[in-house]
Amino acid sequence: MIQLETAVIRRHLPMGADYRLLEMETPRISDAVRPGQFIHLLVPQSAGLTLRRPFSVFRSESGRLSVLYKLVGVGTAAMQALREGDSVSLMGPLGNGFPAAAAGAFPVLVAGGYGVAPLYFLAQRLASKGRLFVGAATSADLLCLDDFRELGWPVTIATQDGSVGVAGLVTAALDAWLAAEGKGRSLEFFACGPNGMLKAVGGRAIDRGDKGWLSLDRHMGCGAGACLACVQKVRKSGAETWARVCKDGPIFEARDVVWDEPGLGENKP
Amino acid sequence: MTSPTALPFKTDLSLELAGLRLRNPVMVASGTFGYGPEYADVVDLNRLGAIVVKGISLEPWTGNRTPRLHEVTGGLLNAIGLQNPGAEGFIATYLPFLRKYDVPVVVNIWGRAVEDYVRVAERLSSEPGIHALEVNISCPNIKEGGISFGTRVDLASQVIGAVRKVTRLPLIIKLSPNVSDIRPFARAAADEGADAISLINSFPAMAIDIETRRPVLANVTGGLSGAAIHPIAVKLVYEAAQAVSIPIIAMGGIRSAQEAVEFLIAGASAVAVGTATFADPQACLRVIEGLEAYLVRHRIASVRELIRTVRL
Ligand SMILES: Cc1cc2nc3c(=O)[nH]c(=O)nc-3n(C[C@H](O)[C@H](O)[C@H](O)COP(=O)(O)OP(=O)(O)OC[C@H]3O[C@@H](n4cnc5c(N)ncnc54)[C@H](O)[C@@H]3O)c2cc1C
Ligand SMILES: Cc1cc2nc3c(=O)[nH]c(=O)nc-3n(C[C@H](O)[C@H](O)[C@H](O)COP(=O)(O)O)c2cc1C
Ligand code: FES
């Protein structure tokens, strides 16, 4: 059930230059939310924005919920002004969330940028430990890896500038590991990050015959399934159709996602 | 002992509009509230004046490519492209849900030719649980019809007349704001037997990403809605009210009771909340409460006394 709740800011911390951790007291949403779900946050009204902003849930415990956000534009810039004790309106929990992990499969998490946020929440709640692969542009975009290590998860890092870990894309690091340790094992992929990464990880899952759960990021309006702004082309019972990322997603199985954008919606009568 | 003067002042929000009995004059606008279930967790649909669902065509329609929505100063651009499950899809998937509520259901319809409008109107008119049709002749996104029906009086008359012949449901005609004079369109609706008009739809508009020099929306252009269009809508409602006596349902940038009251004074009998729902899903409820508070504060016994009362 979707709820509207006034959340009180409890902590608001810088995480490097471009990221912030926002912890909010929001008992009803916090209790109900599952990994992979997100909240729709009403940016303080002085910013004069028309739309809320969606953020994946990073942590949720004891009535408190955190998000990890990147400063990218007007909304996230305005959010920086939130202080301890201030309140914000949240709508949530939204979206389908990750499915329960398949029994016997080894969880492989692949994150790009703030994609670590929902995957950390997932790792916390998974019954069995797996491995995290994380890709970033530079070391400054690497977030909360210690949190994963505290859970006892091994972490493999790839940075595009080679400042930490493997130099290059996270898929290169993933491929090396799959070649060395993936043979004959049943894996289950969970990924959140840029579309190129999701497509690549989904491709690996499909090629191996494993499940691949991808968390998609789409510009959103309502966040509740009402406006049809956030659609993604998917395969459903053999036919191609639009799914609403906010309501039917944001998590989709790799085989269901149709990546070629044009086609559907050409509106040829 | 309480003295009579201390009794709380009671005001009446109910009214009859185009044969619909509304518990209050606040509706939710087509395309911004889905088909009912989407916001039902956070809005008790039974508190609404009416629910106006997203536009329905006879056949399912896939709509435009993404991005379909873009925020701009004072509102947003949308080019959803009227994606919808078609009349049969709506009837099978959503109507059973809506029938469980005690709220007038207004189905917004559209087509690309007069025949499309007629057939979808006919199909929906035979279904219990639909209380009125709102005919969208003003969607700015579909080249093949919407815009030309809504911007040429002769074509508008043709559609309205044809739909009128096939339905006994109350007929609301949703007008385009993209015309130099709204009055002939309002008159055409009244002359062809419409029970009410609604205005305004979103304005054709465009935004460009200056880094890539490409239009932000995949559809290149989209409709502007939200706070920015409210004063234009007030003017158009005011002008339409001078041209016709059939009731007007006003929408365009309502965010609080302030804008709703303005519309009623300008000449509307009811209003619809659209874009504001995205920031505050309960905006419609706030508008109802604020309207009631306004009437009480001004000691107005019924909302009906507020309609068309602009002092010049
Ligand atoms: C389900 C979901 C979960 C998300 N989780 C997180 C999270 O955990 N942490 C986080 O930092 N961000 C997350 N995002 C993205 C976040 O919502 C956007 O970064 C934020 O809305 C930008 O707001 P803004 O006003 O600062 O930027 P704007 O000024 O609105 O935009 C700045 C730039 O970013 C682009 N942009 C805006 N929104 C998006 C989007 N959704 N996808 C791609 N590009 C966009 C704009 O086109 C523009 O170029 C998530 C998005 C979705 C859909
Ligand atoms: C995302 C979106 C979808 C819409 N879809 C429809 C539609 O299907 N049919 C229609 O007649 N109007 C549609 N509209 C127009 C609204 O019903 C309303 O007339 C307009 O947005 C102005 O009101 P507002 O400023 O309160 O949003 C849509 C508007 C938006 C923002
Ligand atoms: S954001 Fe409105 S339907 Fe997904």
Side-chain angles (χ1 to χ4, degrees), chain A residues 7 10 53 87-88 115 151 171 177 205 210 252:
Chain A
R10 290 302 177 204
R53 296 293 189 267
S87 19
V88 279
L151 290 180
T171 38
W177 182 83
D210 292 322
F252 295 92

Side-chain angles (χ1 to χ4, degrees), chain A residues 1-2 4 42 49-53 91 218 221-222 224-229 231 242 261-262 264-267 269, chain B residues 31 33-34 38-39 41-42 61-66 68-69 71 74-76 80 83 112 144 275 278-279 281-282:
Chain A
M1 175 161 154
I2 300 177
L4 272 171
L42 186 65
L49 296 177
T50 301
L51 297 175
R52 288 175 177 248
R53 296 293 189 267
M91 179 164 66
R218 270 266 185 261
C222 66
C227 73
L228 307 178
V231 295
W242 291 118
E261 252 305 276
L264 242 196
E266 288 295 340
N267 264 348
Chain B
F33 208 80
E38 294 83 355
Y39 280 118
D41 284 349
V42 287
W61 193 248
T62 56
N64 293 328
R65 287 193 286 135
T66 58
R68 291 175 167 190
L69 200 69
E71 188 168 343
L76 48 89
I80 307 299
Q83 180 187 333
R112 282 163 287 131
E144 295 96 331
T275 298
F278 299 153
Q282 296 174 335

Side-chain angles (χ1 to χ4, degrees), chain B residues 117-297:
Chain B
Y117 281 98
V118 168
R119 289 175 61 199
V120 69
E122 235 167 3
R123 178 65 189 93
L124 294 171
S125 298
S126 65
E127 282 299 318
I130 296 175
H131 304 96
L133 298 179
E134 180 180 55
V135 185
N136 178 8
I137 57 168
S138 52
C139 181
N141 297 330
I142 300 293
K143 295 181 195 73
E144 295 96 331
I147 201 68
S148 54
F149 286 118
T151 53
R152 271 182 50 189
V153 176
D154 56 335
L155 295 178
S157 298
Q158 230 182 320
V159 175
I160 301 161
V163 173
R164 178 72 289 176
K165 283 198 193 72
V166 299
T167 187
R168 287 219 285 270
L169 288 174
L171 201 57
I172 303 160
I173 309 301
K174 187 157 179 181
L175 301 181
S176 169
N178 196 30
V179 294
S180 51
D181 187 353
I182 197 80
R183 290 168 295 191
F185 292 88
R187 276 188 219 107
D191 291 347
E192 294 297 332
D195 300 286
I197 54 176
S198 56
L199 61 157
I200 59 178
N201 212 316
S202 53
F203 276 91
M206 182 170 173
I208 296 170
D209 180 334
I210 62 167
E211 300 306 319
T212 61
R213 304 193 195 182
R214 291 163 61 92
V216 172
L217 296 173
N219 189 55
V220 180
T221 61
L224 175 65
S225 66
I229 69 171
H230 176 69
I232 310 177
V234 173
K235 172 192 177 261
L236 292 172
V237 166
Y238 167 69
E239 287 175 350
Q242 294 181 318
V244 294
S245 57
I246 55 173
I248 296 171
I249 304 166
M251 63 279 284
I254 297 179
R255 289 185 296 168
S256 66
Q258 154 84 37
E259 293 83 20
V261 169
E262 222 177 321
F263 273 138
L264 296 173
I265 295 171
S269 299
V271 298
V273 179
T275 298
T277 297
F278 299 153
D280 179 5
Q282 296 174 335
C284 47
L285 304 181
R286 272 197 295 107
V287 170
I288 295 166
E289 286 158 14
L291 172 60
E292 183 167 21
Y294 172 89
L295 294 172
V296 168
R297 185 155 55 82

